[in-house]
């Protein structure tokens, strides 16, 4: 007889159905796990043996074979412990196998039979709901799984309490969904002295979901303004919060089943590797660009990143996804992010200041800025020069307008875009392309003439041309204009980086 328990294997944000099949046959006692299992899964036999022994039970003196089907699907992670243990207990007659048929099971076992958290429970719950089954998961993640709202969730603290539930000795209560955290605001724009042009560019970026690059000397406030961006972005809606939580679940960073309305803000150090930024590793995990999905990816000291690492962002910025290819798997993670970058104009940071600039200028600046490839810069919609803050700016009182006032204008512009793109599956102007771009972002005749003239003079690429159209549409939305006019195109062009001359 073969006992079967359902579980899942994770490939990106996709949960694939896996059957744990256990057979006890006469022969020399052994405990084998087959089915393309990684080291963590192979080690589960020792954790399962210890957990069963902790309950006062002994494994039968038979040959135990555990098959993870389908055999050609890679199995990674410790969440296979609990389904293997339950399938084995069913084969031993301790648990009724028919009762387990209605459940998808995930969880890591300790040697004392406690059930420990494991990444990806939210994905397993969504998969179980799609299959018409219920879920068994660790107690610490019951509130995470309960967000599906469509299935029965059993969240035992240990293996013994789960067995008692099935025997009717102590029924487990349905866990409640985790709390929804309020929208956190972070630093306020009222803390920024001066920098009106940069703050205007930040507002445009927030309103249209555009990428932004700030170039200026050290101490000008670039990092502070970037950290203010989540506070002026609208909170995540329910669908977006679920997408963000799915990424956090598979990464193992979703704590206590709490969903958040605040958009992610990730700021990796410039020493980050390509795998850290785009995802990968021996066990493929989402990188910073995926952990920032639906939020902001801030790259400070942009030229200090390895060039190959930066160029790996070019495809995710265009498609909103990142694909990690390995010999045994091809995994895709979502990566619809708003890129905000900051850099000094040169290595010393004081280009243009006669009293502080080094003697190697302007060659120093040219060498430093060319560390960032042209194709990546072409994908950044807004380029703004951030000037040094003067002493006169520092002694001024705080600005009368802070993040709350800017956030209100951003929310109004986003509402206009949501209505405009309701039938197109697009969230913001930054996602408009093709026929949608022509229908919604085409300027009036004077605006078209100016854009055509500027495209020729600035040697603008086709990508740069369309990005100017999107930014101009956002500027018009902020101004309450249904038509993209010449003045909107002119402001959008002022934020565009000029191509270098020969």
């Amino acid at each position: 007889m073969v006992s079967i328990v359902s579980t899942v294997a994770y490939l990106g944000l996709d949960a694939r159905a896996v059957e744990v099949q256990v057979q006890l046959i006469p022969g020399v006692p052994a405990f084998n796990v087959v089915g393309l299992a990684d080291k963590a899964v192979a080690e589960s036999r020792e954790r399962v043996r210890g957990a069963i022994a902790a309950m006062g039970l002994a494994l039968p003196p038979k040959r135990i074979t555990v098959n993870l089907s389908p055999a050609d699907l890679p199995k990674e992670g410790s969440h296979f412990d609990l389904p293997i243990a339950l399938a084995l207990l069913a084969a031993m007659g301790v648990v009724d196998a028919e009762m387990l048929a209605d459940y998808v099971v995930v969880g890591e076992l300790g040697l004392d039979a406690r059930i420990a958290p494991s990444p990806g429970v939210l994905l397993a719950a969504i998969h179980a709901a799609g299959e018409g089954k219920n879920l068994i998961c660790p107690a610490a993640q019951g509130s995470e799984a309960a967000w599906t709202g469509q299935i029965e969730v059993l969240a035992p603290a240990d293996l013994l309490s789960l067995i008692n539930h099935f025997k009717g000795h102590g029924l487990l209560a349905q866990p409640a969904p985790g709390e929804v955290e309020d929208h956190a605001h972070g630093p306020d724009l009222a803390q920024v002295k001066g920098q009106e042009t940069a703050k205007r560019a930040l507002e445009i970026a927030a309103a249209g979901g555009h990428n932004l690059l700030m170039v200026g000397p050290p101490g000008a406030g670039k990092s502070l303004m970037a950290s203010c961006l989540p506070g002026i972005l609208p909170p995540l809606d329910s669908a977006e919060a679920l997408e963000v939580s799915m990424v956090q679940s598979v990464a193992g960073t979703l704590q206590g089943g709490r969903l958040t309305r605040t958009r992610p803000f990730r700021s990796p150090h410039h020493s980050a590797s390509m795998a850290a930024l785009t995802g990968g590793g021996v066990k493929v995990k989402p990188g910073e660009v995926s952990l920032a999905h639906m939020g902001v990816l801030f790259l400070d000291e942009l030229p200090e990143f390895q060039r190959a690492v930066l160029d790996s962002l070019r495809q995710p910025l265009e498609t909103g996804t990142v694909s990690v290819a390995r010999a045994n798997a091809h995994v895709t993670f979502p990566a619809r992010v708003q890129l905000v970058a900051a850099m000094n104009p040169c290595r010393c940071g004081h280009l243009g200041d006669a009293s502080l600039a080094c003697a190697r200028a302007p060659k120093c600046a040219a060498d430093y800025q060319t560390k960032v490839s042209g194709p990546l810069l072409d994908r950044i919609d807004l380029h703004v020069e951030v000037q040094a803050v003067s002493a006169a700016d520092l002694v001024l009182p705080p600005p009368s307008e802070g993040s709350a006032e800017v956030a209100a204008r951003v929310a109004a512009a986003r509402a206009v875009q949501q209505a405009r793109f309701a039938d197109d599956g697009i969230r913001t102007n930054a996602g408009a392309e093709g026929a949608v771009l022509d229908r919604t972002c085409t300027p009036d005749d004077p605006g078209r003439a100016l854009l055509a003239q500027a495209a020729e003079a600035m040697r603008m690429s086709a990508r740069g041309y369309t990005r100017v159209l999107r930014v101009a549409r956002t500027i018009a939305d902020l101004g309450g204009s249904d038509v993209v006019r010449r003045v909107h195109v002119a402001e959008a062009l002022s934020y565009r980086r000029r191509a270098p001359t020969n």
Side-chain angles (χ1 to χ4, degrees), residues 101-441:
D102 295 330
Y103 291 91
V104 172
V105 184
V106 292
E108 177 185 332
L109 281 176
L111 296 179
D112 55 358
R114 286 181 299 173
I115 303 175
S118 60
V121 165
L122 182 58
L123 276 66
I126 294 173
H127 168 82
E131 295 291 319
K133 295 185 176 183
N134 301 313
L135 182 75
I136 299 174
C137 68
Q141 295 173 299
S143 55
E144 177 182 335
W147 274 110
T148 56
Q150 306 171 11
I151 60 175
E152 177 193 358
V153 177
L154 298 181
D158 53 55
L159 190 54
L160 184 59
S161 60
L162 180 59
I163 294 173
N164 287 336
H165 172 86
F166 285 124
K167 291 185 177 296
H169 299 324
L171 298 181
L172 296 169
Q174 174 84 4
E179 297 178 357
V180 179
E181 296 179 350
D182 293 334
H183 180 48
H185 296 287
D188 196 287
L189 276 174
Q191 299 175 239
V192 181
K193 300 291 186 71
Q195 307 299 4
E196 297 305 320
T197 301
K199 286 193 283 189
R200 169 65 174 172
L202 194 71
E203 179 178 342
I204 295 169
H210 303 291
N211 301 325
L212 171 66
L213 172 64
M214 294 178 284
V215 183
K222 303 185 294 296
S223 299
L224 175 59
M225 285 187 284
S227 63
C228 291
L229 183 55
I232 63 176
L233 289 170
L236 295 166
D237 60 30
S238 299
E240 291 173 337
L242 183 60
E243 285 187 48
V244 170
S245 298
M246 288 171 66
V247 177
Q248 293 175 341
S249 178
V250 77
T253 60
L254 188 60
Q255 299 295 327
R258 293 191 297 270
L259 271 66
T260 179
R261 296 292 189 187
T262 305
R263 295 187 180 272
F265 182 85
R266 306 290 298 189
S267 180
H269 191 261
H270 59 255
S271 62
S273 66
M274 188 180 300
L277 202 62
T278 61
V282 177
K283 297 179 182 178
V284 180
K285 293 291 184 182
E288 293 290 336
V289 71
S290 296
L291 293 172
H293 180 57
M294 293 296 173
V296 178
L297 177 64
F298 176 47
L299 302 183
D300 201 3
E301 308 295 347
L302 186 66
E304 301 298 337
F305 284 82
Q306 298 178 44
R307 183 161 185 165
V309 172
L310 289 180
D311 285 342
S312 68
L313 292 176
R314 286 155 55 175
Q315 180 253 352
L317 290 177
E318 287 292 321
T319 64
T321 60
V322 57
S323 297
V324 181
R326 292 292 182 268
N328 61 349
H330 191 281
V331 180
T332 299
F333 294 109
R336 192 155 300 281
V337 300
Q338 186 171 353
L339 175 65
V340 176
M343 60 181 286
N344 296 329
C346 60
R347 186 167 292 279
C348 69
H350 299 289
L351 183 70
D353 190 329
S355 62
L356 295 173
C358 67
R360 295 185 62 242
K363 186 177 185 301
C364 172
D367 292 343
Y368 189 70
Q369 294 183 23
T370 52
K371 289 184 176 182
V372 184
S373 68
L376 178 62
L377 291 174
D378 201 34
R379 287 167 167 81
I380 299 178
D381 306 354
L382 300 163
H383 299 246
V384 61
E385 299 285 340
V386 181
Q387 303 300 322
V389 181
S390 66
D393 289 327
L394 293 175
V395 299
L396 290 174
S400 58
E401 184 178 82
S403 292
E405 292 78 11
V406 176
R409 293 196 295 269
V410 169
R414 288 281 184 117
V416 170
Q417 295 167 55
Q418 186 176 9
R420 176 187 300 135
F421 301 125
D423 299 327
D424 301 312
I426 299 173
R427 290 184 172 90
T428 62
N429 290 328
E433 57 186 1
V436 176
L437 180 77
D438 295 337
R439 186 182 78 246
T440 60
C441 301

